[in-house]
């Protein structure tokens, strides 16, 4: 399992980059957002990665942030969303925007991505509602507050990276958000969520 690549950005294409790591060029699929964020060709670059394994293929997908990788995992867990569609969504929406769209059940926002029709967009926001934190249960008014949704989503992502199951992470962060209020920082949310998860 390759968790990340650190090397020199050798080249980029419309939907991929080549990272030179010790003389070996890794072809990595990526969203346009990641490709814009990793810097100029010839410079040092680090990508978080997810390996996709199929019967007749082995493929690396790369992300500028761990949060984007977490969203890729969530999206590809939805029936009908493959790697290509997930990357199209991540090209159209940053993780914070995705959190707000799911929290507000805003399928039109998700449908802005290439290859995502209304039915698939509806399935995505419906299936992911319970996986992106208790912010989703607070309705559109809470979703309009940008910071808490972003911090909440990042806190859930942090707990997922520590090995918590999505439901556990969402529940713990939701409880922490409720206690700390809307202005809570990411650091405070993660600390309190970990304490609550330990008690649970």
């Amino acid at each position: 399992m390759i968790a990340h690549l650190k090397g020199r950005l050798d080249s980029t294409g419309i939907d991929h980059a080549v990272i030179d790591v010790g003389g070996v060029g890794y072809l990595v699929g990526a969203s346009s957002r990641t490709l814009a964020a990793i810097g100029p060709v010839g410079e040092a670059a680090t990508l978080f990665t997810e390996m996709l394994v199929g019967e007749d293929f082995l493929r690396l997908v790369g992300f500028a942030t761990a949060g984007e990788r977490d969203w890729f995992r969530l999206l590809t867990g939805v029936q009908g969303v493959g790697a290509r569609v997930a990357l199209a969504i991540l090209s159209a929406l940053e993780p914070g925007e995705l959190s707000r769209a799911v929290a507000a059940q805003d399928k039109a926002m998700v449908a802005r991505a290439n290859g995502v029709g209304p039915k698939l967009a509806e399935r995505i926001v419906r299936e992911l509602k319970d996986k992106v934190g208790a912010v989703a249960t607070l309705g559109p008014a809470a979703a309009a507050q940008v910071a808490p949704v972003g911090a909440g989503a990042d806190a859930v992502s942090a707990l997922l990276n520590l090995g918590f199951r999505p439901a556990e992470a969402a529940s713990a962060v939701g409880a922490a958000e409720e206690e700390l209020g809307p202005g809570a920082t990411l650091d405070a949310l993660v600390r309190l969520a970990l304490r609550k998860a330990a008690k649970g």
Side-chain angles (χ1 to χ4, degrees), residues 70-200:
D70 292 339
W71 266 106
F72 178 83
R73 290 171 176 168
L74 284 172
L75 287 165
T76 52
V78 176
Q79 184 188 351
V81 179
R84 191 182 299 271
V85 170
L87 288 176
I89 293 170
L90 290 168
S91 292
L93 301 168
E94 65 183 24
E97 290 174 319
L98 259 174
S99 294
R100 292 193 289 280
V102 171
Q105 293 290 283
D106 185 352
K107 57 182 183 289
M109 194 169 181
V110 177
R112 282 167 31 191
N114 286 335
V116 179
K119 284 185 179 176
L120 183 56
E122 185 175 1
R123 186 186 303 145
I124 289 167
V125 297
R126 188 179 68 244
E127 288 191 20
L128 295 185
K129 183 177 180 181
D130 296 331
K131 295 183 180 178
V132 295
V135 175
T137 65
L138 300 177
Q145 297 174 349
V146 175
V149 179
D154 289 343
V156 170
S157 167
L159 264 63
L160 290 174
N161 287 337
L162 292 171
F164 286 88
R165 292 196 299 272
E168 289 176 327
S171 173
V173 171
E177 283 184 314
E178 201 171 301
E179 187 171 315
L180 294 171
T185 64
L186 173 59
D187 185 54
L189 276 175
V190 171
R191 285 172 191 271
L192 185 56
L194 284 171
R195 286 207 298 274
K196 289 188 175 297
K199 285 179 187 173

